[in-house]
Amino acid sequence: MASEPHELLGQLHSTADEFIAIRRAIHAHPELAFEEQRTSDLVAECLRNWGYQVHRGLGGTGVVGVLQKGEGTKSIGIRADMDALPILERTGLDYASRLPGKMHACGHDGHTAMLLCAARYLAQSQDFNGRLHLIFQPAEENEGGALRMVEEGLFEQFPCDEIYALHNAPGLPVGQMAISSGPAMASFDRVTVTLRGRSAHGAMPHHGIDSMQCAASIVLGLQSIITREIDAQQAVVITVGSIQAGEVYNIVPESAVLKIGVRALDPDVRRKVEQRLQAFVQAQASSYQLECEIEYLHKYPVLVNRPEQTEYARQAAIRLLGADMVGERPPTMGSEDFAYMLQHRPGAYIRLGNGVGEDGGCMVHNPLYDFNDKALHIGAAFWVHLASSYLV
């Protein structure tokens, strides 16, 4: 029998401890991109025990659980990410990472556990009429596991009319959710610039061609693309994260390598920045008489929430939590590979409060971060209500 939205929170809260234990076990054994074998084994075993058809192998370690109830033909997909980050954990928790240099510093352990919590409830306690696809995705962090799953036939094998995902949000109080239509997260591109000149003694630089001086000029000049060539109301970030050149004090370095990250919230702006960045870097290299190679790697696209699915998710959250607990979320310049799935199916990406201050407010990708277990049953209840309301 279907549960009313206001009942779900209490019902899922009563089972939360079991899934908090699962979350902490995943946290203690973090696995990096495409290494999530232990986690996917756990997910597959749980889903199989609850009556799901379990499919493995998409994206290497991906797991898809399928559950059909009734004769309905509608289908919905819900995605959770499973991978950890190459960070040395410093939380001091008794369930902290047992693998030095690997850590669940983004809450994917919580995302996985809350979807498992919802999965069991949907299988055992909730009526619906249609097909449910639960997608446990590897390699969200920088490696594009979503794209790999799509390219390997995710939506051909598991057709989804709509698809949804959520992410915990430090700084947003536990019990609140937020979602906005349109661009929600930025695109991300990686640029590697290699400059080649001629080495010389530092006392006689005129015998060389200085790659370092050109690198410095590029670093300073790149920001003019944003401030003088892009509409000030368009969001763009260009970050030079690394310069590798030379080793000693008194030698003009022959070569320099710059690693640059580029983010934008509009695909057209993204293309313009790419064109201007390449032209600017080549011109700078030429002016310093250097050879130049540019590797421009397109990573994640802009994540765009569709209006209809955004409103559907918003109303589901309001019915569950109340209107005063569901807000707008301004776009962020962070990136998320769920954007690839949204390029192929309509859907939306939702934020779930992880807490403020010392109770869940530590930002992600930080060695002191931890997913707030108080939010687990809330996210699970949201997935249950969203899916069962759609599959009627």
PDB file of all heavy atoms in Angstrom, residues 252-289:
ATOM      1  N   VAL A 252      67.689  29.348 -17.277  1.00  0.00           N
ATOM      2  CA  VAL A 252      66.453  29.684 -17.982  1.00  0.00           C
ATOM      3  C   VAL A 252      65.818  28.376 -18.449  1.00  0.00           C
ATOM      4  O   VAL A 252      66.443  27.605 -19.172  1.00  0.00           O
ATOM      5  CB  VAL A 252      66.747  30.589 -19.195  1.00  0.00           C
ATOM      6  CG1 VAL A 252      65.492  30.785 -20.039  1.00  0.00           C
ATOM      7  CG2 VAL A 252      67.308  31.936 -18.738  1.00  0.00           C
ATOM      8  N   PRO A 253      64.590  28.080 -18.039  1.00  0.00           N
ATOM      9  CA  PRO A 253      64.000  26.791 -18.385  1.00  0.00           C
ATOM     10  C   PRO A 253      63.660  26.689 -19.869  1.00  0.00           C
ATOM     11  O   PRO A 253      63.122  27.618 -20.465  1.00  0.00           O
ATOM     12  CB  PRO A 253      62.742  26.734 -17.525  1.00  0.00           C
ATOM     13  CG  PRO A 253      62.398  28.138 -17.244  1.00  0.00           C
ATOM     14  CD  PRO A 253      63.699  28.886 -17.183  1.00  0.00           C
ATOM     15  N   GLU A 254      63.979  25.536 -20.421  1.00  0.00           N
ATOM     16  CA  GLU A 254      63.704  25.306 -21.838  1.00  0.00           C
ATOM     17  C   GLU A 254      62.209  25.173 -22.110  1.00  0.00           C
ATOM     18  O   GLU A 254      61.711  25.609 -23.150  1.00  0.00           O
ATOM     19  CB  GLU A 254      64.410  24.033 -22.300  1.00  0.00           C
ATOM     20  CG  GLU A 254      64.147  23.680 -23.761  1.00  0.00           C
ATOM     21  CD  GLU A 254      64.868  22.417 -24.197  1.00  0.00           C
ATOM     22  OE1 GLU A 254      65.591  21.834 -23.374  1.00  0.00           O
ATOM     23  OE2 GLU A 254      64.687  22.019 -25.363  1.00  0.00           O
ATOM     24  N   SER A 255      61.480  24.557 -21.176  1.00  0.00           N
ATOM     25  CA  SER A 255      60.063  24.304 -21.418  1.00  0.00           C
ATOM     26  C   SER A 255      59.242  24.637 -20.172  1.00  0.00           C
ATOM     27  O   SER A 255      59.761  24.676 -19.059  1.00  0.00           O
ATOM     28  CB  SER A 255      59.821  22.848 -21.836  1.00  0.00           C
ATOM     29  OG  SER A 255      60.170  21.968 -20.788  1.00  0.00           O
ATOM     30  N   ALA A 256      57.971  24.844 -20.391  1.00  0.00           N
ATOM     31  CA  ALA A 256      57.024  25.078 -19.301  1.00  0.00           C
ATOM     32  C   ALA A 256      55.697  24.436 -19.682  1.00  0.00           C
ATOM     33  O   ALA A 256      55.291  24.462 -20.847  1.00  0.00           O
ATOM     34  CB  ALA A 256      56.833  26.576 -19.059  1.00  0.00           C
ATOM     35  N   VAL A 257      55.056  23.857 -18.671  1.00  0.00           N
ATOM     36  CA  VAL A 257      53.756  23.225 -18.882  1.00  0.00           C
ATOM     37  C   VAL A 257      52.750  23.864 -17.933  1.00  0.00           C
ATOM     38  O   VAL A 257      52.977  23.914 -16.719  1.00  0.00           O
ATOM     39  CB  VAL A 257      53.813  21.703 -18.650  1.00  0.00           C
ATOM     40  CG1 VAL A 257      52.428  21.083 -18.804  1.00  0.00           C
ATOM     41  CG2 VAL A 257      54.801  21.047 -19.604  1.00  0.00           C
ATOM     42  N   LEU A 258      51.662  24.369 -18.478  1.00  0.00           N
ATOM     43  CA  LEU A 258      50.592  24.964 -17.690  1.00  0.00           C
ATOM     44  C   LEU A 258      49.366  24.062 -17.758  1.00  0.00           C
ATOM     45  O   LEU A 258      49.004  23.570 -18.837  1.00  0.00           O
ATOM     46  CB  LEU A 258      50.214  26.354 -18.217  1.00  0.00           C
ATOM     47  CG  LEU A 258      51.254  27.470 -18.119  1.00  0.00           C
ATOM     48  CD1 LEU A 258      52.223  27.410 -19.286  1.00  0.00           C
ATOM     49  CD2 LEU A 258      50.570  28.832 -18.089  1.00  0.00           C
ATOM     50  N   LYS A 259      48.721  23.851 -16.618  1.00  0.00           N
ATOM     51  CA  LYS A 259      47.485  23.094 -16.554  1.00  0.00           C
ATOM     52  C   LYS A 259      46.376  24.044 -16.129  1.00  0.00           C
ATOM     53  O   LYS A 259      46.452  24.660 -15.072  1.00  0.00           O
ATOM     54  CB  LYS A 259      47.619  21.917 -15.589  1.00  0.00           C
ATOM     55  CG  LYS A 259      48.667  20.899 -16.041  1.00  0.00           C
ATOM     56  CD  LYS A 259      48.770  19.722 -15.091  1.00  0.00           C
ATOM     57  CE  LYS A 259      49.815  18.719 -15.593  1.00  0.00           C
ATOM     58  NZ  LYS A 259      49.934  17.553 -14.678  1.00  0.00           N
ATOM     59  N   ILE A 260      45.359  24.127 -16.975  1.00  0.00           N
ATOM     60  CA  ILE A 260      44.340  25.162 -16.839  1.00  0.00           C
ATOM     61  C   ILE A 260      42.966  24.519 -16.808  1.00  0.00           C
ATOM     62  O   ILE A 260      42.664  23.623 -17.601  1.00  0.00           O
ATOM     63  CB  ILE A 260      44.417  26.157 -18.022  1.00  0.00           C
ATOM     64  CG1 ILE A 260      45.838  26.734 -18.139  1.00  0.00           C
ATOM     65  CG2 ILE A 260      43.385  27.268 -17.867  1.00  0.00           C
ATOM     66  CD1 ILE A 260      46.090  27.471 -19.436  1.00  0.00           C
ATOM     67  N   GLY A 261      42.122  24.971 -15.893  1.00  0.00           N
ATOM     68  CA  GLY A 261      40.722  24.539 -15.844  1.00  0.00           C
ATOM     69  C   GLY A 261      39.809  25.660 -16.294  1.00  0.00           C
ATOM     70  O   GLY A 261      40.015  26.820 -15.926  1.00  0.00           O
ATOM     71  N   VAL A 262      38.812  25.323 -17.107  1.00  0.00           N
ATOM     72  CA  VAL A 262      37.886  26.313 -17.643  1.00  0.00           C
ATOM     73  C   VAL A 262      36.461  25.869 -17.344  1.00  0.00           C
ATOM     74  O   VAL A 262      36.086  24.725 -17.632  1.00  0.00           O
ATOM     75  CB  VAL A 262      38.064  26.492 -19.163  1.00  0.00           C
ATOM     76  CG1 VAL A 262      37.096  27.545 -19.694  1.00  0.00           C
ATOM     77  CG2 VAL A 262      39.501  26.874 -19.494  1.00  0.00           C
ATOM     78  N   ARG A 263      35.652  26.775 -16.800  1.00  0.00           N
ATOM     79  CA  ARG A 263      34.262  26.468 -16.460  1.00  0.00           C
ATOM     80  C   ARG A 263      33.345  27.565 -16.982  1.00  0.00           C
ATOM     81  O   ARG A 263      33.707  28.748 -16.974  1.00  0.00           O
ATOM     82  CB  ARG A 263      34.098  26.348 -14.937  1.00  0.00           C
ATOM     83  CG  ARG A 263      34.959  25.252 -14.315  1.00  0.00           C
ATOM     84  CD  ARG A 263      34.859  25.248 -12.793  1.00  0.00           C
ATOM     85  NE  ARG A 263      35.771  24.271 -12.213  1.00  0.00           N
ATOM     86  CZ  ARG A 263      35.461  23.001 -11.963  1.00  0.00           C
ATOM     87  NH1 ARG A 263      34.234  22.563 -12.246  1.00  0.00           N
ATOM     88  NH2 ARG A 263      36.341  22.169 -11.447  1.00  0.00           N
ATOM     89  N   ALA A 264      32.150  27.149 -17.423  1.00  0.00           N
ATOM     90  CA  ALA A 264      31.160  28.108 -17.913  1.00  0.00           C
ATOM     91  C   ALA A 264      29.767  27.535 -17.703  1.00  0.00           C
ATOM     92  O   ALA A 264      29.582  26.323 -17.606  1.00  0.00           O
ATOM     93  CB  ALA A 264      31.389  28.414 -19.391  1.00  0.00           C
ATOM     94  N   LEU A 265      28.769  28.431 -17.662  1.00  0.00           N
ATOM     95  CA  LEU A 265      27.387  28.015 -17.459  1.00  0.00           C
ATOM     96  C   LEU A 265      26.558  28.086 -18.731  1.00  0.00           C
ATOM     97  O   LEU A 265      25.360  27.807 -18.698  1.00  0.00           O
ATOM     98  CB  LEU A 265      26.717  28.869 -16.380  1.00  0.00           C
ATOM     99  CG  LEU A 265      27.060  28.510 -14.931  1.00  0.00           C
ATOM    100  CD1 LEU A 265      26.525  29.565 -13.984  1.00  0.00           C
ATOM    101  CD2 LEU A 265      26.497  27.135 -14.564  1.00  0.00           C
ATOM    102  N   ASP A 266      27.186  28.445 -19.842  1.00  0.00           N
ATOM    103  CA  ASP A 266      26.478  28.541 -21.113  1.00  0.00           C
ATOM    104  C   ASP A 266      27.324  27.873 -22.195  1.00  0.00           C
ATOM    105  O   ASP A 266      28.512  28.193 -22.331  1.00  0.00           O
ATOM    106  CB  ASP A 266      26.235  30.010 -21.464  1.00  0.00           C
ATOM    107  CG  ASP A 266      25.476  30.178 -22.762  1.00  0.00           C
ATOM    108  OD1 ASP A 266      26.112  30.125 -23.834  1.00  0.00           O
ATOM    109  OD2 ASP A 266      24.250  30.352 -22.716  1.00  0.00           O
ATOM    110  N   PRO A 267      26.752  26.953 -22.974  1.00  0.00           N
ATOM    111  CA  PRO A 267      27.542  26.250 -24.001  1.00  0.00           C
ATOM    112  C   PRO A 267      28.170  27.183 -25.033  1.00  0.00           C
ATOM    113  O   PRO A 267      29.298  26.948 -25.487  1.00  0.00           O
ATOM    114  CB  PRO A 267      26.514  25.314 -24.648  1.00  0.00           C
ATOM    115  CG  PRO A 267      25.487  25.085 -23.590  1.00  0.00           C
ATOM    116  CD  PRO A 267      25.394  26.398 -22.852  1.00  0.00           C
ATOM    117  N   ASP A 268      27.463  28.258 -25.419  1.00  0.00           N
ATOM    118  CA  ASP A 268      28.025  29.186 -26.388  1.00  0.00           C
ATOM    119  C   ASP A 268      29.214  29.946 -25.795  1.00  0.00           C
ATOM    120  O   ASP A 268      30.222  30.182 -26.478  1.00  0.00           O
ATOM    121  CB  ASP A 268      26.953  30.177 -26.857  1.00  0.00           C
ATOM    122  CG  ASP A 268      25.885  29.516 -27.712  1.00  0.00           C
ATOM    123  OD1 ASP A 268      26.173  28.467 -28.332  1.00  0.00           O
ATOM    124  OD2 ASP A 268      24.754  30.032 -27.748  1.00  0.00           O
ATOM    125  N   VAL A 269      29.093  30.332 -24.545  1.00  0.00           N
ATOM    126  CA  VAL A 269      30.206  30.995 -23.869  1.00  0.00           C
ATOM    127  C   VAL A 269      31.384  30.031 -23.733  1.00  0.00           C
ATOM    128  O   VAL A 269      32.544  30.415 -23.921  1.00  0.00           O
ATOM    129  CB  VAL A 269      29.760  31.518 -22.489  1.00  0.00           C
ATOM    130  CG1 VAL A 269      30.953  32.041 -21.702  1.00  0.00           C
ATOM    131  CG2 VAL A 269      28.719  32.619 -22.656  1.00  0.00           C
ATOM    132  N   ARG A 270      31.078  28.788 -23.437  1.00  0.00           N
ATOM    133  CA  ARG A 270      32.133  27.770 -23.349  1.00  0.00           C
ATOM    134  C   ARG A 270      32.930  27.703 -24.646  1.00  0.00           C
ATOM    135  O   ARG A 270      34.170  27.669 -24.628  1.00  0.00           O
ATOM    136  CB  ARG A 270      31.494  26.419 -23.038  1.00  0.00           C
ATOM    137  CG  ARG A 270      32.462  25.266 -22.881  1.00  0.00           C
ATOM    138  CD  ARG A 270      31.704  23.939 -22.820  1.00  0.00           C
ATOM    139  NE  ARG A 270      32.536  22.841 -22.369  1.00  0.00           N
ATOM    140  CZ  ARG A 270      32.152  21.565 -22.391  1.00  0.00           C
ATOM    141  NH1 ARG A 270      30.937  21.245 -22.829  1.00  0.00           N
ATOM    142  NH2 ARG A 270      32.967  20.606 -21.977  1.00  0.00           N
ATOM    143  N   ARG A 271      32.233  27.695 -25.792  1.00  0.00           N
ATOM    144  CA  ARG A 271      32.916  27.623 -27.084  1.00  0.00           C
ATOM    145  C   ARG A 271      33.738  28.884 -27.362  1.00  0.00           C
ATOM    146  O   ARG A 271      34.858  28.803 -27.878  1.00  0.00           O
ATOM    147  CB  ARG A 271      31.890  27.400 -28.193  1.00  0.00           C
ATOM    148  CG  ARG A 271      31.328  25.977 -28.232  1.00  0.00           C
ATOM    149  CD  ARG A 271      30.467  25.753 -29.460  1.00  0.00           C
ATOM    150  NE  ARG A 271      29.188  26.435 -29.351  1.00  0.00           N
ATOM    151  CZ  ARG A 271      28.102  25.891 -28.813  1.00  0.00           C
ATOM    152  NH1 ARG A 271      28.140  24.664 -28.328  1.00  0.00           N
ATOM    153  NH2 ARG A 271      26.962  26.566 -28.761  1.00  0.00           N
ATOM    154  N   LYS A 272      33.192  30.038 -27.001  1.00  0.00           N
ATOM    155  CA  LYS A 272      33.927  31.287 -27.239  1.00  0.00           C
ATOM    156  C   LYS A 272      35.197  31.328 -26.409  1.00  0.00           C
ATOM    157  O   LYS A 272      36.265  31.724 -26.908  1.00  0.00           O
ATOM    158  CB  LYS A 272      33.045  32.493 -26.915  1.00  0.00           C
ATOM    159  CG  LYS A 272      33.754  33.816 -27.156  1.00  0.00           C
ATOM    160  CD  LYS A 272      32.853  35.011 -26.951  1.00  0.00           C
ATOM    161  CE  LYS A 272      33.604  36.312 -27.216  1.00  0.00           C
ATOM    162  NZ  LYS A 272      32.732  37.505 -27.055  1.00  0.00           N
ATOM    163  N   VAL A 273      35.110  30.923 -25.146  1.00  0.00           N
ATOM    164  CA  VAL A 273      36.298  30.926 -24.290  1.00  0.00           C
ATOM    165  C   VAL A 273      37.358  29.982 -24.856  1.00  0.00           C
ATOM    166  O   VAL A 273      38.548  30.303 -24.867  1.00  0.00           O
ATOM    167  CB  VAL A 273      35.933  30.535 -22.843  1.00  0.00           C
ATOM    168  CG1 VAL A 273      37.196  30.334 -22.012  1.00  0.00           C
ATOM    169  CG2 VAL A 273      35.060  31.606 -22.209  1.00  0.00           C
ATOM    170  N   GLU A 274      36.932  28.834 -25.343  1.00  0.00           N
ATOM    171  CA  GLU A 274      37.897  27.900 -25.938  1.00  0.00           C
ATOM    172  C   GLU A 274      38.630  28.546 -27.114  1.00  0.00           C
ATOM    173  O   GLU A 274      39.866  28.469 -27.216  1.00  0.00           O
ATOM    174  CB  GLU A 274      37.191  26.635 -26.409  1.00  0.00           C
ATOM    175  CG  GLU A 274      38.115  25.658 -27.106  1.00  0.00           C
ATOM    176  CD  GLU A 274      37.428  24.403 -27.606  1.00  0.00           C
ATOM    177  OE1 GLU A 274      36.219  24.268 -27.395  1.00  0.00           O
ATOM    178  OE2 GLU A 274      38.114  23.548 -28.217  1.00  0.00           O
ATOM    179  N   GLN A 275      37.879  29.174 -28.004  1.00  0.00           N
ATOM    180  CA  GLN A 275      38.500  29.803 -29.165  1.00  0.00           C
ATOM    181  C   GLN A 275      39.472  30.900 -28.760  1.00  0.00           C
ATOM    182  O   GLN A 275      40.606  30.975 -29.258  1.00  0.00           O
ATOM    183  CB  GLN A 275      37.410  30.368 -30.079  1.00  0.00           C
ATOM    184  CG  GLN A 275      36.524  29.311 -30.707  1.00  0.00           C
ATOM    185  CD  GLN A 275      35.285  29.894 -31.353  1.00  0.00           C
ATOM    186  OE1 GLN A 275      35.055  31.123 -31.312  1.00  0.00           O
ATOM    187  NE2 GLN A 275      34.457  29.052 -31.944  1.00  0.00           N
ATOM    188  N   ARG A 276      39.043  31.755 -27.838  1.00  0.00           N
ATOM    189  CA  ARG A 276      39.883  32.885 -27.456  1.00  0.00           C
ATOM    190  C   ARG A 276      41.082  32.446 -26.631  1.00  0.00           C
ATOM    191  O   ARG A 276      42.168  33.005 -26.760  1.00  0.00           O
ATOM    192  CB  ARG A 276      39.043  33.906 -26.678  1.00  0.00           C
ATOM    193  CG  ARG A 276      38.029  34.628 -27.533  1.00  0.00           C
ATOM    194  CD  ARG A 276      38.743  35.442 -28.642  1.00  0.00           C
ATOM    195  NE  ARG A 276      39.675  36.390 -28.040  1.00  0.00           N
ATOM    196  CZ  ARG A 276      40.956  36.531 -28.404  1.00  0.00           C
ATOM    197  NH1 ARG A 276      41.472  35.757 -29.359  1.00  0.00           N
ATOM    198  NH2 ARG A 276      41.714  37.421 -27.807  1.00  0.00           N
ATOM    199  N   LEU A 277      40.910  31.452 -25.775  1.00  0.00           N
ATOM    200  CA  LEU A 277      42.043  30.973 -24.984  1.00  0.00           C
ATOM    201  C   LEU A 277      43.131  30.413 -25.888  1.00  0.00           C
ATOM    202  O   LEU A 277      44.320  30.723 -25.723  1.00  0.00           O
ATOM    203  CB  LEU A 277      41.577  29.925 -23.975  1.00  0.00           C
ATOM    204  CG  LEU A 277      42.622  29.429 -22.970  1.00  0.00           C
ATOM    205  CD1 LEU A 277      41.956  29.048 -21.649  1.00  0.00           C
ATOM    206  CD2 LEU A 277      43.409  28.232 -23.493  1.00  0.00           C
ATOM    207  N   GLN A 278      42.736  29.606 -26.846  1.00  0.00           N
ATOM    208  CA  GLN A 278      43.745  29.023 -27.737  1.00  0.00           C
ATOM    209  C   GLN A 278      44.441  30.102 -28.554  1.00  0.00           C
ATOM    210  O   GLN A 278      45.676  30.067 -28.717  1.00  0.00           O
ATOM    211  CB  GLN A 278      43.091  27.987 -28.648  1.00  0.00           C
ATOM    212  CG  GLN A 278      42.528  26.795 -27.887  1.00  0.00           C
ATOM    213  CD  GLN A 278      42.445  25.553 -28.739  1.00  0.00           C
ATOM    214  OE1 GLN A 278      43.444  25.102 -29.295  1.00  0.00           O
ATOM    215  NE2 GLN A 278      41.246  24.980 -28.839  1.00  0.00           N
ATOM    216  N   ALA A 279      43.663  31.054 -29.077  1.00  0.00           N
ATOM    217  CA  ALA A 279      44.266  32.122 -29.872  1.00  0.00           C
ATOM    218  C   ALA A 279      45.209  32.977 -29.025  1.00  0.00           C
ATOM    219  O   ALA A 279      46.312  33.348 -29.465  1.00  0.00           O
ATOM    220  CB  ALA A 279      43.169  32.988 -30.491  1.00  0.00           C
ATOM    221  N   PHE A 280      44.781  33.283 -27.805  1.00  0.00           N
ATOM    222  CA  PHE A 280      45.601  34.111 -26.921  1.00  0.00           C
ATOM    223  C   PHE A 280      46.923  33.418 -26.578  1.00  0.00           C
ATOM    224  O   PHE A 280      48.002  34.028 -26.647  1.00  0.00           O
ATOM    225  CB  PHE A 280      44.830  34.422 -25.639  1.00  0.00           C
ATOM    226  CG  PHE A 280      45.619  35.171 -24.615  1.00  0.00           C
ATOM    227  CD1 PHE A 280      45.779  36.542 -24.690  1.00  0.00           C
ATOM    228  CD2 PHE A 280      46.229  34.494 -23.552  1.00  0.00           C
ATOM    229  CE1 PHE A 280      46.522  37.235 -23.738  1.00  0.00           C
ATOM    230  CE2 PHE A 280      46.972  35.177 -22.608  1.00  0.00           C
ATOM    231  CZ  PHE A 280      47.116  36.556 -22.701  1.00  0.00           C
ATOM    232  N   VAL A 281      46.845  32.142 -26.207  1.00  0.00           N
ATOM    233  CA  VAL A 281      48.055  31.413 -25.823  1.00  0.00           C
ATOM    234  C   VAL A 281      49.015  31.292 -27.003  1.00  0.00           C
ATOM    235  O   VAL A 281      50.236  31.495 -26.865  1.00  0.00           O
ATOM    236  CB  VAL A 281      47.683  30.027 -25.261  1.00  0.00           C
ATOM    237  CG1 VAL A 281      48.935  29.155 -25.104  1.00  0.00           C
ATOM    238  CG2 VAL A 281      46.973  30.174 -23.923  1.00  0.00           C
ATOM    239  N   GLN A 282      48.489  30.989 -28.181  1.00  0.00           N
ATOM    240  CA  GLN A 282      49.353  30.881 -29.361  1.00  0.00           C
ATOM    241  C   GLN A 282      50.021  32.211 -29.682  1.00  0.00           C
ATOM    242  O   GLN A 282      51.208  32.262 -30.036  1.00  0.00           O
ATOM    243  CB  GLN A 282      48.537  30.393 -30.564  1.00  0.00           C
ATOM    244  CG  GLN A 282      48.086  28.953 -30.490  1.00  0.00           C
ATOM    245  CD  GLN A 282      49.202  27.959 -30.764  1.00  0.00           C
ATOM    246  OE1 GLN A 282      50.378  28.330 -30.909  1.00  0.00           O
ATOM    247  NE2 GLN A 282      48.841  26.683 -30.793  1.00  0.00           N
ATOM    248  N   ALA A 283      49.257  33.296 -29.544  1.00  0.00           N
ATOM    249  CA  ALA A 283      49.822  34.615 -29.830  1.00  0.00           C
ATOM    250  C   ALA A 283      50.912  34.983 -28.820  1.00  0.00           C
ATOM    251  O   ALA A 283      51.958  35.550 -29.192  1.00  0.00           O
ATOM    252  CB  ALA A 283      48.711  35.664 -29.814  1.00  0.00           C
ATOM    253  N   GLN A 284      50.675  34.663 -27.551  1.00  0.00           N
ATOM    254  CA  GLN A 284      51.690  34.928 -26.536  1.00  0.00           C
ATOM    255  C   GLN A 284      52.961  34.126 -26.821  1.00  0.00           C
ATOM    256  O   GLN A 284      54.076  34.658 -26.739  1.00  0.00           O
ATOM    257  CB  GLN A 284      51.158  34.570 -25.156  1.00  0.00           C
ATOM    258  CG  GLN A 284      50.098  35.506 -24.623  1.00  0.00           C
ATOM    259  CD  GLN A 284      50.683  36.864 -24.241  1.00  0.00           C
ATOM    260  OE1 GLN A 284      51.541  36.963 -23.375  1.00  0.00           O
ATOM    261  NE2 GLN A 284      50.214  37.914 -24.897  1.00  0.00           N
ATOM    262  N   ALA A 285      52.789  32.862 -27.150  1.00  0.00           N
ATOM    263  CA  ALA A 285      53.960  32.020 -27.451  1.00  0.00           C
ATOM    264  C   ALA A 285      54.725  32.571 -28.638  1.00  0.00           C
ATOM    265  O   ALA A 285      55.969  32.635 -28.629  1.00  0.00           O
ATOM    266  CB  ALA A 285      53.511  30.585 -27.710  1.00  0.00           C
ATOM    267  N   SER A 286      54.013  32.980 -29.652  1.00  0.00           N
ATOM    268  CA  SER A 286      54.665  33.531 -30.842  1.00  0.00           C
ATOM    269  C   SER A 286      55.428  34.809 -30.515  1.00  0.00           C
ATOM    270  O   SER A 286      56.550  35.025 -30.997  1.00  0.00           O
ATOM    271  CB  SER A 286      53.620  33.805 -31.918  1.00  0.00           C
ATOM    272  OG  SER A 286      54.202  34.379 -33.064  1.00  0.00           O
ATOM    273  N   SER A 287      54.830  35.644 -29.672  1.00  0.00           N
ATOM    274  CA  SER A 287      55.488  36.907 -29.332  1.00  0.00           C
ATOM    275  C   SER A 287      56.776  36.685 -28.540  1.00  0.00           C
ATOM    276  O   SER A 287      57.673  37.528 -28.559  1.00  0.00           O
ATOM    277  CB  SER A 287      54.530  37.805 -28.546  1.00  0.00           C
ATOM    278  OG  SER A 287      54.321  37.308 -27.239  1.00  0.00           O
ATOM    279  N   TYR A 288      56.877  35.554 -27.849  1.00  0.00           N
ATOM    280  CA  TYR A 288      58.091  35.223 -27.100  1.00  0.00           C
ATOM    281  C   TYR A 288      58.989  34.252 -27.868  1.00  0.00           C
ATOM    282  O   TYR A 288      59.942  33.725 -27.316  1.00  0.00           O
ATOM    283  CB  TYR A 288      57.721  34.611 -25.750  1.00  0.00           C
ATOM    284  CG  TYR A 288      57.266  35.627 -24.729  1.00  0.00           C
ATOM    285  CD1 TYR A 288      55.923  35.966 -24.613  1.00  0.00           C
ATOM    286  CD2 TYR A 288      58.180  36.259 -23.887  1.00  0.00           C
ATOM    287  CE1 TYR A 288      55.501  36.890 -23.673  1.00  0.00           C
ATOM    288  CE2 TYR A 288      57.774  37.185 -22.946  1.00  0.00           C
ATOM    289  CZ  TYR A 288      56.428  37.505 -22.852  1.00  0.00           C
ATOM    290  OH  TYR A 288      56.013  38.433 -21.909  1.00  0.00           O
ATOM    291  N   GLN A 289      58.666  33.983 -29.127  1.00  0.00           N
ATOM    292  CA  GLN A 289      59.439  33.122 -30.019  1.00  0.00           C
ATOM    293  C   GLN A 289      59.496  31.670 -29.538  1.00  0.00           C
ATOM    294  O   GLN A 289      60.504  30.980 -29.698  1.00  0.00           O
ATOM    295  CB  GLN A 289      60.876  33.666 -30.184  1.00  0.00           C
ATOM    296  CG  GLN A 289      60.943  35.100 -30.665  1.00  0.00           C
ATOM    297  CD  GLN A 289      62.366  35.587 -30.786  1.00  0.00           C
ATOM    298  OE1 GLN A 289      63.108  35.157 -31.685  1.00  0.00           O
ATOM    299  NE2 GLN A 289      62.766  36.468 -29.878  1.00  0.00           N
TER     300      GLN A 289
END
